[in-house]
């Protein structure tokens, strides 16, 4: 699955993101998860990069995915687990791969408890509030980062 | 599973509720989960309603159940996840079905951290402390709610 | 006022509940206090129980009512005093009768200070957010409780 | 009591304001409650407005006065109840008449607990620290408000 | 009502103290309010002092009693209002008579919210936890204080 | 600039008040800063008083204005600096002229951080929530204050 | 030292109490420690009781005294250690003798940190603010307590 | 300055950003402000957009720039003022133009006080931690946003 | 799996412990999970005890393991779930078997949020910071405990 | 005192531990300090190690002992000073010898203030709740540590 | 301005210090800013050092001065900005010159909010409460520091 | 010890300062306590002043020294007790001699709990972070202070 010289970028969607398009569209927009994923697959016109996308509602499966998959860069939207999961934080610390945290909505406009991320201080950077663009810009940052190496 | 004109009421039991009858009976009472479930199946003498009951110890499976099952009303006892799960909250917000939160014990008599629910402000109402009755009254409220529609 | 073999259930409505129907109907519903009281008198079709209903805007009078009336079960909506009255808490502790706390609105959806009750940990259970049903289900729980004795 | 075309302005003095002139004059000034009330009756030279003034030391009576009297505008100095009474807040929310909160002393110069009002966010505005003028300016604001309607 | 040369000592019992003997005897002891009052009347064998005792469940009536009665020394057990009443605090500040706060139980052994008194910093001193003795020692302190003048 | 026997009243408008009429009119009203200033110049029909009005977006310039201008009374709307500027507080303490703090909107209805003023406890009084009237009533209070001297 | 049938009352004065009479007399009064001790020795006219008095500035020595002396009742003014010493608390818990905590000044009128005692919830009761009387009344309470046994 | 059909994008650099390249390079990178600005001018190969860049160390001047310049989109790095300036927040609220907040460093890896932005909840989105890329991705998001209109 | 007379000791490793040896070796040491497990199997030279070891990244599976396996003593390192899982706490409370909590690292030297365990107050004791020894000493304590029975 | 090639292990017992066996046996067990010390002397069957044991009730003497004695490893139960002594913390930091903190009781099951140790983050590890075993296991850990050197 | 071999010491006075001598003399003393500056110019009898002194009321100008002037040592009294300015903190971090923070008054005797400095942890040391001496001793420390280099 | 006309300056070194030179030299420097003391004895070339220096690790002995020695000025480095000792604070308040608090390290760069001094608001001023200079400058301030009298 991908040329061995390719750099692999893993994208993880956390819980409830399978509801995109149906879930609170005023906050999350009208696009479905499939549409978002297609945008991600098509955004980079280069054979340098292989993109794998994974969605789950289970914290344990996110930990498994982070720690048991091979990849060069991680783009993660931990969704609800952003605010509660020390296990995902520990997985990121344990694996120590370059990572960007993205959010579709602007978490700073929402409930108090959504404004504290347990992940932000162990990733390179954070992009939020830009809808589908949050992911696409994260992908561009991954490309810039991987080409620098 | 159930007549298509029936309204379906889903009941979710969260983690450790499979221990009912064995677990701290001074707090949770002497009835087993099976006894509780039988009371629920038998409480409503009407073919209008179909009741499905689900128990799991996994947060991710509760999210899956909430978001991937068809139902008209949800009665949920999120148990320990009441106090920690933003993912269940987001599932409820994403699906937006009428929901009542129930607790067997009076959570306000217990540890400080049990007195904050992450769910209460996204459901219709809360019933707690009444043992098996918490569920049965929740079921009655569901019936009243569904007949009004 | 009531057969001496009857069990007596006292219902106390706290401050501003005389405004029901006029007061913030989006929160409290369209029914008047008289309509609510009629529902309460008519809900139990049994001579086993005598229901007394009392409304006041005065904290001191609630204390007096709790401590100077004879009854077997108390259903109380302390309204605004829920969040500020140690005196009502002490009256409940002093008399130590089985009690259920009810609220018409879901207090967990409202201002921060409404989410802390000074009463909840000294009653059997709490029912909130179900409108008029909060009281009617409380009444049913009282009946179940009194018949068990 | 007052011409039916007149607009009625109700002024409520909360607990301990009957002590004016005797109570901590460095904070509350040297004028008595009667002198303050006379200033209020005489300040508006117009038959358009009827002023009723009410003082009580009881929280419940303030709630009763707010919810059971007819008036067009309320000027209220809830005094000590400013900081503790959810019941008065609820009465104001329930009746929803235009209201101004006034204080003789500058509550922000006093004890920590006096700096939080449970009323301020449900009234039009607040005037404090200007002694007798706090009331007189409140009255002028009432007049401007009522003439605009 | 007392020889005019006598010094008058007023004793105020706050809410729920009419329940003494019945209310949580493990905390408040087995004596009734009448027994306590008799001990108070009999404790001082001297015509120098006239003792008046007053019990009420109403915050407003405590304010009225403090501000509208003539006395030389006040012994007050504000009970539940200890922790919530700015109005009683203001009454004490407004009248400025020598005052001692007493409690039957040791409030520091009880719920967190009972450990903050709104009264303690505006009285001479505090005596708590000594049962009936809390009052009797308060009375002795009053006598010493009044004789010093 | 003003008759030497006149008393001078300085009015300071803090940051963003030059936007009045355009800025969030639901909160700040429809009048422009020029219209507000004209109301202020015209409100006092007396040669006793000279009014100077000053607007700036700079904290340092407010400090300079407070400490380097001659005036008898200050009416200040520190706007955003209300909540963050110790420097303006220190300027007021350093100069120690009679001052009233005014706000167009009711700051107690807004974000949590707007409910704490660093200025309120070093001024005579506060008027807020009354729109343009907040300033006009402040001006009247200034006149009453200056005539009393 | 003392008849073997006598009950022994131990009085412990904590740090800086050797300065009485010199130290902040507005707070602690004009009497010296010797004068206070003489009042204590002379207050009880009965051979039933033997009083031992001990002053030290060392926390460790207070722990030693509490745990290595024989006595029937303890009156302790832990002074500064009231607010900081878990060791004294543990000594009291370990020995478990009836104890009263006394303070010369009203600690509730003083700095915030003086309002939390680490001792109050492990003693019978607390007396504060009554100057020398705080000790004398504590002694009387000890006598009443010991005679009851 | 710019074709009238062009959309104008304003970029504001807050205090101390003139030090880029010299200031803590481990945190802020090795590029100078001029290099960053050149990257910004060259990043968009289209005459559709006119970019204006502004740096200042003064809070008041940022407020002035935001409220007195014509532009269609704002990219702002408020630097130190992110955490303290209600005035910049109010300027953004007053003008209400689409805005993105950017930071060179990952503010969530730094001092506690840098983790609270007073701006984030009044902008569209936030990008941080990606060095020069934070600005370039912000510019791309601006382009996407402006083309959608 | 084990002689029926043997006592069974269950050891649970929480999330990310499969990474031992690779994950932050400065904190967690250089040994792998297999090496640790071998040390555990070999540490007790006695047929009295049967040791079962279980690792999972899923909170729900830890709950299942605790509540659905037969064992006499539990040694648990809940890792990241230590700080967030009420469900594991409830499982321990529900089953009520003797349990020791162990941690490889000294959690008190790490991030603030790692210093609060939701488990510590429902187990017998805690051992942390001693690397592999934390487990081995826990095992010895289990042996001592089981032999005492 | 001890062969010069021996490694010396110092054991410090903090305040009130001389009461072991008498003090709250439900919490601290039935063994006396002498019995505990004998267990410690006898636990290690090897001439490699010399054990010195020291008990004091004085914080200053613990500081002196830590900083003025020669030893290779320290096992300390600071008892009450665990929660209050910066001086002991500083002594440990100043001397910088390998140290283990032990507690007989599980401090996490006790008062809130006992759950914060000022020592834990400057020692190697912590063992608590295992009674006499807490010390014995600490001794074993010391032996393992010293043999590794 | 100054011999090129001289070391230059920059002294910055923050907002309101131009009021010295007039502003709250009980706190700040009777000397004017000119007198203070003369003391500073005359305190060091050596041509080794050139002293430049700067006062401003503007936060932005302090940032400019710190970052755009050449000097070897900085003595800064940020006055009111001590407690609010992240921008000055960032300027100090960005330039990274040896710096001492001085205050005329003892900030620990004043309002709560004056007791937190945003600067103290990024300077060498702090001197406060010694009036004019705070500056003069700071100057001496600068001399010692510069001669050591 | 010292001419009777001399002014006496007492210097107190708190706990662990006997370790200077050995203890964390990156924080406390390389000089020993003897070297520091010699610097202090030699710094003032005048027979006007007699310097006494005292070091102890015991809180009680610091209290004794402060309250039982004759001196005109106190320079105190309470070290660890700075943050925990109300007893030393009370001793300073009780004796009320002019005092300066000094610290070798910059306490604001260290652990959170070291940033709160219980002493700072009862002394004249504070000097910290300047190593040995903190004491020497304190001595100079003492000389200036004593000569002014």
């Amino acid at each position: 699955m991908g040329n061995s010289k390719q750099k692999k970028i893993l994208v993880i969607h956390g819980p409830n993101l399978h509801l995109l398009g149906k879930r609170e569209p005023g906050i999350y927009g009208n696009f479905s998860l499939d549409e978002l994923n297609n945008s991600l697959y098509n955004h980079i016109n280069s054979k340098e990069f292989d993109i794998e996308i994974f969605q789950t509602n289970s914290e344990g499966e996110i930990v498994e995915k982070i720690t048991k998959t091979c990849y060069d860069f991680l783009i993660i939207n931990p969704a609800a687990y952003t605010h509660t999961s020390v296990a995902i934080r520990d997985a990121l610390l344990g694996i120590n791969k370059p990572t960007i945290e993205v959010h579709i909505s602007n978490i700073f406009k929402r409930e108090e408890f959504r404004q504290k991320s347990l992940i932000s201080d162990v990733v390179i950077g954070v992009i939020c509030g830009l809808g589908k663009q949050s992911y696409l810009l994260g992908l561009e940052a991954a490309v810039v980062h991987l080409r620098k190496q």
Side-chain angles (χ1 to χ4, degrees), chain A:
Chain A
M1 195 184 289
N3 168 335
S4 73
K5 296 192 172 178
Q6 283 180 315
K7 299 280 180 133
K8 178 152 160 202
I9 298 171
L10 175 63
V11 179
I12 298 179
H13 301 297
N16 293 302
L17 288 165
H18 63 302
L19 296 176
L20 277 178
K22 285 176 288 186
R23 173 191 185 194
E24 299 172 286
I27 296 176
Y28 295 101
N30 298 306
F31 51 90
S32 70
L33 185 59
D34 280 353
E35 288 165 337
L36 171 57
N37 288 347
N38 285 337
S39 299
L40 284 165
Y41 287 127
N42 297 330
H43 194 62
I44 304 302
N45 290 321
S46 157
K47 303 221 163 162
E48 278 169 274
F49 302 100
D50 172 37
I51 295 174
E52 181 186 345
I53 303 180
F54 177 76
Q55 194 273 333
T56 178
N57 294 319
S58 154
E59 181 184 16
E61 287 175 17
I62 294 178
V63 169
E64 298 266 315
K65 191 73 193 174
I66 291 171
T67 58
K68 296 187 171 164
T69 312
C70 255
Y71 52 88
D72 299 288
F73 200 99
L74 175 63
I75 292 169
I76 186 167
N77 179 350
Y81 294 137
T82 305
H83 318 293
T84 63
S85 177
V86 178
I88 293 174
R89 174 191 180 87
D90 279 358
L92 295 173
L93 282 169
I95 286 300
N96 200 18
K97 290 277 177 185
T99 302
I100 288 181
E101 175 187 349
V102 298
H103 298 282
I104 290 170
S105 69
N106 181 345
I107 57 178
F108 303 107
K109 283 190 174 160
R110 304 183 62 195
E111 301 97 324
E112 182 73 20
F113 65 78
R114 281 200 216 273
Q115 294 174 33
K116 178 70 197 161
S117 164
L118 282 168
I119 309 291
S120 295
D121 63 326
V122 302
V123 299
I124 293 175
V126 181
I127 303 176
C128 79
L130 303 175
K132 201 189 294 186
Q133 285 284 310
S134 292
Y135 282 89
L136 299 179
L137 298 177
L139 206 52
E140 289 181 38
V143 166
V144 169
H145 184 98
L146 291 171
R147 282 186 178 145
K148 261 194 207 150
Q149 293 184 318

